[in-house]
Structures are given as C-alpha cells and as structure tokens.
Amino acid sequence: MAPRITFLFLMLNAYAFAQTQATKDSLVNEMCNTIINSQSLGDSARVAAMFRKHLFPFLDKYPESLRDELGMNIYFRMQRNCDAFKDLLHRVDPPKGDWQAVEKKLTTSLNKKGCRGLLDHNKLSYLESSGDTVQLVIDKGMWVDRFKDGTYSKLKMRWISDCEFEIEFIESNNASRKGLSKKGDKYLYQVFDKKDNYYDMSVQIPGSDRYMVFKLYY
C-alpha cells in the first residue's frame, strides 16, 4: 500500500474510532440521567429501565459479534462517568478493598519530600474493589499496573503540586481498564498521609465532585 494511501487509511480509522467513542460517551450521559431521574424505583428496576430505554436499542444497531464488547465498554464507562450508577452498584455489591468515597478534598499531613517518597519504592500495590491485589510500578514518569490475570495498564504520570499528581491513560489490555478509560483520560491523585506500610491516597475524576480514598502499599 502506498504511503499516502496508508496514511489516509489510518486517519479514517482514527476518525471512526473517535466518533464511536463520542457516541458511546453521549449514550453514557443519557443513561446516567435516566438513573438519576428514576429514584422512585428500586435499584434493579432502575437498571432494567435504563437498559430498555438506551442500551438495547443502541446495541441493536451493531452486528451481534460486536455487542458484548460494546456493552462491556459502556458498562465500565458508566462506572467512571456516572456517580449515581456507581453508588447503585456499591449498594448491590459493596467494595471489598480499601476504597471509600468522601465528599470533599482532604488536606495532606506531609511535605513535598514525604509525598514524593513514594517514588523511592520499586514495587507498590493496592487492592481492587473486588479484593484482588494490583501490582504497581512507577518509573521514569510511567505508571504501570499489573493485574491478577496477567494483563496491564500503562499511564503517564506528572506531578502538579508537592503532593498531587495526575496520571493519563495510554493503553491497556485489561478488560475493565480499557473499558473504563480512553486514551487521554486523566485521573487526579493526592498523597495525604504515610503509615507503616502504606500511603493514604485519594483520587478524583476531573469534573466529578467525588473523591475516592484508598491505601497504596509499599
């Protein structure tokens, strides 16, 4: 294939992917609004109504071979972008890890040296809400998660203040992580305390007023 044709083909593929992702994120917003506006129903009924109104008609537009992957992607994006849906899931299946939601930003008790000391540890880990342990390596500005099933996620890390940093999603072959995030998605972290074998951390999705606190073990 000639270089010019190859470039055009790649550009068309990238445009098609961006359009599909934008469509899915728009759908997620509509689904989230339906969850928010159906609080008079029980949790199961709210989810069923949301699926009937939004998800099933959307998936019917695609070949059957693509529906499972699309459905899973939308399910995980809902968890990222819709606090009401995440709260509903937590009521049905409470998190088993260290994660807790807080309504306001916490104040760190550490100075710059204390916060950035987490970079001195070659191996870190944290618990998923499922209870599984995720191994983490931070090196040369990269944040790499290794999951129980052998999959990974790779993100860029950048400090934005003495005790706060952001990570930016690059890629993943983990089913939940590649469904949860698209390339360029960012997450804001804060180190707010250090204990004998872990750091107390918080994470926020930009645009959300929800903070999640958890333990990062060293």
Side-chain angles (χ1 to χ4, degrees), residues 17 21 77 168-171 181-186:
F17 175 81
Q21 188 61 57
R77 290 295 284 180
E168 180 179 339
F169 184 78
I170 300 173
E171 63 180 15
S181 301
K182 67 178 187 292
K183 188 173 182 179
D185 278 349
K186 295 179 180 180

Side-chain angles (χ1 to χ4, degrees), residues 79-80 83 86-87 90 94-106 127-129 187-192 199-205 208-216:
Q79 293 183 57
R80 181 189 189 275
D83 288 338
K86 188 185 301 181
D87 290 342
H90 287 176
K96 300 179 181 65
D98 301 318
W99 297 81
Q100 293 182 341
V102 295
E103 298 299 329
K104 63 180 181 179
K105 186 175 181 179
L106 300 172
L127 297 179
E128 293 267 60
S129 59
Y187 301 85
L188 303 178
Y189 283 77
Q190 179 189 32
V191 188
F192 64 89
Y199 289 91
D200 281 317
M201 308 283 295
S202 70
V203 58
Q204 180 195 25
I205 296 171
S208 170
D209 58 2
R210 182 78 57 89
Y211 296 84
M212 298 296 295
V213 298
F214 69 102
K215 296 178 175 62
L216 184 61

Side-chain angles (χ1 to χ4, degrees), residues 22 29 33 58 60 62 74 144 154 168 204:
N29 289 337
N33 286 333
F58 175 81
D60 283 344
Y62 292 87
I74 291 165
V144 181
K154 184 182 294 184
E168 180 179 339
Q204 180 195 25

